[in-house]
Amino acid sequence: MLRTEVLAGLVVALALIPEAISFSILAGVDPRVGLFASFTMAVTIAFTGGRPAMISAATGAIALVVAPLVASHGLDHLIGAVVLGGLLQVVLALLGVVRLMRFIPRSVMIGFVNALAILIFTAQVPHLIGVPWLVYPLVAVALAIMVFLPRVTTVVPAPLVAIVLLTAFTVLAHVAVPTVGDEGTLPDSLPTLGLPDIPFTLDTLRVIAPYALGVALVGLMESLMTAKLVDDITDTHSDKTRESWGQGVANIVTGFFGGMGGCAMIGQTMINVKASGARTRLSTFLAGAFLLVLVVVLGDVVAMIPMAALVAVMIIVSVSTFDWHSVAPATLKRMPWGELIVMAVTVAGTLATHNLAVGVVLGVLAAMVVFARRVAHFAEVTSESEGDTRVYRVHGELFFASSNDLVYQFDYNGDPDWVVIDLSRAHIWDASSVAALDAITTKYTQRGKTVEITGLNEASARMHETLAGQLKAGH
């Protein structure tokens, strides 16, 4: 058991190094910022998290959220946004945000993942433009290693093999290509505690707040999605509320140690849980500890890694992140048009704004509209005559979308003096439905006819009794 956890932690640490450096470059910061973030996130979440064996570190999703802030205001504002994002995650966790996750449809989740993959891929394009020609064959070789090596053996992570081989070749052959060292300084010491060098004013808050909210929402979404995945794989239940505030605490700690923030990593978690068989918090803690030791001791070696290798790693990450099944022709034929629209809105919103949080919010709004349109047609009215009485039977859910047309389903002039509206197979959800029933009653009353509303269930009767006659203009 202990051997499994230790080896899993080491393998994850080795696999984290190239990704942490790649995500740092994606965010526009020095490699040490992403490496420190991966160390502090993994070590902190090992104690505070609600899902044992899940790996949290610097991620592409968070890098994409904060990249515009780094470009416009620099590293210190990024650190401020990470700390504030962590505080927001703690607050959201205490407010029960986990319960709201059930309102994020699968189509939005798929759109989120696909948009993330596309953004990671497009972020590699600048590293392939205006570079020495040798970069292209190096990228091709690294891609081939990562595609074909896992078919032979999975003992050593394929990205690590690709990086070692390409680094060895470029160093021994004295090939001049862009390296990690060209992107910024690597750490040669342990991270230190400190505050961001920013003015603590409302103007600063206005700048960092949108990015902090993005860090909080995107981080929670990816972490809770990953936790659910691990729950399914291990047949165990995790504490999602603890995981939510644990992510917040980890981001606060990461910010104060100068890291770029992060969240749960689906890929590294799969290496830890599925490939390595880890099941406890020890593997998560050791992944962070091994990472720091490797980087501080081998910093000079890491600086020699050619960027071509990391670009290839990120291309593989983007390809494996993308849900190809969701765009397969057979899937598209079977999928309801509403689901496809929601997925497309999520992706388009994310790509247009380069903000995953905005894309998710737009996707959820689109899902709400599609759902409202779908269930608006579920309310049905049938009628029959019983002696001198006209009985209308309403079937379905009555809310703002479905109740709008309800008023036009009755024959006010042709009906007898006594009308019964039977709601035993309906449910009143909101004030709009009560207002519609009021309007129907008023139209009959104006014609000297009597309306009796029957069959209300307890909740509907309570709402109708409270609001009936109180919703006219002026009330």
Side-chain angles (χ1 to χ4, degrees):
M1 180 74 171
L2 180 62
R3 178 178 172 276
T4 301
E5 300 296 320
V6 172
L7 287 177
L10 181 59
V11 170
V12 170
L14 291 169
L16 271 175
I17 293 173
E19 291 199 4
I21 296 170
S22 300
F23 294 142
S24 301
I25 294 161
L26 190 60
V29 295
D30 285 350
R32 65 186 182 87
V33 179
L35 291 163
F36 281 166
S38 294
F39 161 68
T40 52
M41 285 294 298
V43 168
T44 307
I45 207 70
F47 294 98
T48 63
R51 174 64 263 176
M54 191 165 79
I55 304 296
S56 290
T59 62
I62 300 299
L64 289 166
V65 169
V66 299
L69 178 62
V70 175
S72 61
H73 289 83
L75 177 62
D76 285 303
H77 278 76
L78 158 65
I79 292 169
V82 169
V83 173
L84 180 58
L87 288 169
L88 287 174
Q89 285 178 324
V90 173
V91 171
L92 289 170
L94 297 177
L95 291 175
V97 73
V98 176
R99 290 192 291 273
L100 296 179
M101 280 296 291
R102 73 186 73 172
F103 295 110
I104 299 179
R106 181 177 175 276
S107 47
V108 173
M109 295 284 197
I110 292 172
F112 169 85
V113 168
N114 289 350
L116 171 61
I118 294 168
L119 287 177
I120 289 174
F121 181 83
T122 55
Q124 307 315 306
V125 175
H127 298 292
L128 298 172
I129 298 174
V131 293
W133 68 269
L134 198 57
V135 167
Y136 303 113
L138 286 174
V139 170
V141 169
L143 289 172
I145 291 170
M146 286 184 281
V147 169
F148 296 110
L149 182 62
R151 300 180 186 182
V152 180
T153 178
T154 55
V155 173
V156 185
L160 190 67
V161 173
I163 286 164
V164 169
L165 290 179
L166 262 65
T167 304
F169 170 76
T170 54
V171 170
L172 295 174
H174 300 288
V175 175
V177 291
T179 64
V180 169
D182 299 331
E183 298 294 329
T185 55
L186 285 163
D188 54 8
S189 62
L190 299 176
T192 54
L193 195 62
L195 290 172
D197 184 18
I198 53 174
F200 293 93
T201 62
L202 278 176
D203 286 337
T204 303
L205 184 62
R206 272 194 288 269
V207 170
I208 67 173
Y211 298 98
L213 185 61
V215 167
L217 294 179
V218 170
L220 283 180
M221 185 176 306
E222 192 155 343
S223 298
L224 293 174
M225 280 169 58
T226 308
K228 187 177 185 306
L229 200 60
V230 178
D231 288 353
D232 293 341
I233 291 169
T234 60
D235 287 326
T236 56
H237 180 69
S238 59
D239 186 340
K240 304 297 191 301
T241 299
R242 177 175 173 179
E243 183 61 43
S244 299
W245 66 254
Q247 288 289 332
V249 171
N251 270 313
I252 293 168
V253 171
T254 296
F256 285 133
F257 276 101
M260 60 179 268
C263 61
M265 299 184 77
I266 295 175
Q268 301 302 336
T269 299
M270 289 303 101
I271 291 174
N272 196 45
V273 175
K274 212 170 184 180
S276 303
R279 290 292 182 271
T280 72
R281 298 175 186 275
L282 180 62
S283 59
T284 307
F285 175 82
L286 289 176
F290 283 142
L291 171 68
L292 186 68
V293 172
L294 287 168
V295 170
V296 171
V297 173
L298 303 175
D300 292 337
V301 177
V302 172
M304 298 177 193
I305 296 172
M307 281 302 299
L310 297 185
V311 167
V313 170
M314 296 314 297
I315 289 173
I316 291 294
V317 168
S318 69
V319 170
S320 59
T321 299
F322 196 92
D323 187 341
W324 294 100
H325 177 71
S326 67
V327 294
T331 305
L332 295 176
K333 282 180 186 175
R334 288 195 301 268
M335 195 72 73
W337 65 266
E339 304 288 320
L340 297 176
I341 289 175
V342 170
M343 190 168 69
V345 166
T346 306
V347 172
T350 302
L351 297 182
T353 61
H354 283 253
N355 191 320
L356 289 157
V358 171
V360 168
V361 169
L362 291 175
V364 171
L365 290 174
M368 287 168 61
V369 172
V370 169
F371 176 76
R373 280 183 60 85
R374 193 177 294 157
V375 297
H377 305 297
F378 285 177
E380 207 180 323
V381 180
T382 59
S383 65
E384 61 184 23
S385 295
E386 294 181 1
D388 294 333
T389 304
R390 187 73 168 175
V391 179
Y392 287 91
R393 291 187 171 84
V394 182
H395 307 256
E397 309 301 315
L398 297 180
F399 67 112
F400 61 90
S402 62
S403 60
N404 283 335
D405 294 332
L406 194 64
V407 180
Y408 307 109
Q409 306 295 315
F410 297 82
D411 183 5
Y412 302 103
N413 292 319
D415 282 342
D417 291 342
W418 190 265
V419 176
V420 173
I421 301 175
D422 181 6
L423 296 176
S424 56
R425 295 187 181 178
H427 186 95
I428 296 175
W429 286 104
D430 60 10
S432 298
S433 305
V434 178
L437 291 172
D438 279 355
I440 293 165
T441 304
T442 301
K443 286 179 181 294
Y444 277 117
T445 303
Q446 288 171 346
R447 290 163 175 78
K449 299 175 182 180
T450 303
V451 177
E452 182 186 3
I453 296 174
T454 65
L456 290 168
N457 60 38
E458 188 178 339
S460 299
R462 191 161 51 245
M463 179 170 286
H464 186 261
E465 186 179 334
T466 304
L467 298 177
Q470 306 298 316
L471 299 172
K472 295 176 185 175
H475 283 275

